[in-house]
Amino acid sequence: MKQKIMSGMRPTGKLHLGHYLGVIDNWVKLQDEYDCYFSVADWHALTTKYDKTETLRQDTIDVVMDWLACGIDPDKSTIYVQSLVPETAELHIYLSMITPQNWVERDPTLKDMAKILKTKEGMGTQVNYGLMGYPVLMTADILTFNADLVPVGIDQVAHVELTRDIARRFNNIYNTDFFVEPQPKLNNCSLICGLDGNKMGKSFNNDIKISDTEEITAKKVMTAITDRSRMRKDDPGHPDECEVAFKYWKIFGTENEVETVRCECEKGLRGCADCKRQLGKKINERMSDIRERRKYYEEHPEEVEKIIREGSEKARKDAQKILAEVRKLVRMY
Ligand code: TRP
Ligand code: SF4
């Protein structure tokens, strides 16, 4: 039997190259070797955005479209929407009963979130009960399928550790070895920064979307930060101090191309505008098949809907088997 993998993403809407290179491309490569479950975590979105649900449905669809475009294959992997698998909510209840309060209180991500919330104004500035339970909800996601491995970024490793702790505690309390203690599987992140040199993110307005057109991509790339000390195009440049453009070259160019860019830049034979024009073309080349596939799904929303429904039904059947066992172990009626 294949080992099981479970991972998820919040429905933040159209995804960017950071998601593609840092997360989805890793998932795509795992699909043959493992039995994969990929969840759009719409309940997780509610932990902070319970009062902004107007776009939740479309954001969920956009995430799935991006996954499909990038090569997540519904014939290999189970793609589902978290709230369409209510078994996860039931499991969340059982797990919440056995999770000591101080285990969630020491969660570092939660502390950060609480801090950010406090800096905002109006609604949603306090930490709600549901937000406190967010690491337990993520635990429920993982244990709903008794996954062996959880591909995550470094910021989520603490949550998988908590999942292991909760799984162990459940096993102890109910005198069983039913739950696997899952391992985090670090995404090998060729982390791409935003066009301004900060972390790429939707809210920073520094991202290139998977679904951006070639024209928009080309335009955005022209805004990428370069070697700030360079005034004229025949000044010798410093690729290693070229904050964004040269880093992108290293991700999207071949080794030869990167060396050519380096040489020409250092000798003052390459202007930054030309350099970025070429870079834009490289990025567009790399993304072209993906974008074509995305366009296909945009034109066939009924297929996406079908994939979501069928994936979620399949996930639900698998979850029901786990929950039947859990109910027995807890000795529910
Ligand atoms: N908590 C993750 C995040 O905010 C998303 C997530 C939800 C997840 N459920 C998961 C990740 C289960 C891995 C496994 O990024
Ligand atoms: Fe960066 Fe290219 Fe300009 Fe050199 S020529 S500083 S690599 S953008």
Side-chain angles (χ1 to χ4, degrees), residues 6-10 27 37 39-42 44 80 82 109 113 134-135 137-142 150-152 155-156 159-160 163:
M6 193 279 145
S7 198
M9 228 184 243
R10 288 168 188 245
W27 291 1
Y37 294 84
S39 162
V40 186
D42 54 352
H44 275 91
Y80 75 98
Q82 186 183 32
T109 319
M113 278 177 154
Y134 141 86
L137 184 57
M138 178 163 158
T139 297
D141 277 336
I142 298 165
V150 186
V152 282
D155 59 316
Q156 297 280 321
H159 293 142
V160 185
T163 300

Side-chain angles (χ1 to χ4, degrees), residues 226-227 230 237-239 242 245-246 249 261 265 270-273 275-276:
T226 60
D227 173 3
R230 214 166 171 216
H238 310 86
C242 173
F246 192 63
W249 268 112
V261 172
C265 174
R270 163 179 284 263
C272 290
C275 186
K276 291 196 279 189

Side-chain angles (χ1 to χ4, degrees), residues 41-148:
D42 54 352
W43 280 327
H44 275 91
L46 291 189
T47 60
T48 52
K49 293 184 158 183
Y50 50 85
D51 58 341
K52 295 185 195 72
T53 51
E54 305 82 17
T55 60
L56 190 55
R57 188 186 161 79
Q58 189 54 45
D59 288 345
T60 300
I61 293 170
D62 274 320
V63 167
V64 173
M65 280 195 199
D66 281 329
W67 289 0
L68 294 169
C70 291
I72 303 290
D73 180 348
D75 291 330
K76 293 181 185 166
S77 301
T78 306
I79 297 171
Y80 75 98
V81 173
Q82 186 183 32
S83 68
L84 291 177
V85 182
E87 285 71 17
T88 296
E90 185 181 349
L91 183 56
H92 178 237
I93 289 193
Y94 301 129
L95 300 179
S96 71
M97 301 302 168
I98 64 161
T99 304
Q101 188 172 332
N102 64 351
W103 286 15
V104 293
E105 277 169 354
R106 68 179 183 224
D107 183 281
T109 319
L110 210 64
K111 280 188 189 156
D112 287 349
M113 278 177 154
K115 248 188 245 156
I116 293 169
L117 283 176
K118 287 208 181 90
T119 64
K120 293 192 177 160
E121 280 183 29
M123 274 271 273
T125 57
Q126 86 276 23
V127 176
N128 285 343
Y129 174 61
L131 178 59
M132 283 306 296
Y134 141 86
V136 187
L137 184 57
M138 178 163 158
T139 297
D141 277 336
I142 298 165
L143 298 187
T144 298
F145 303 102
N146 227 345
D148 301 281

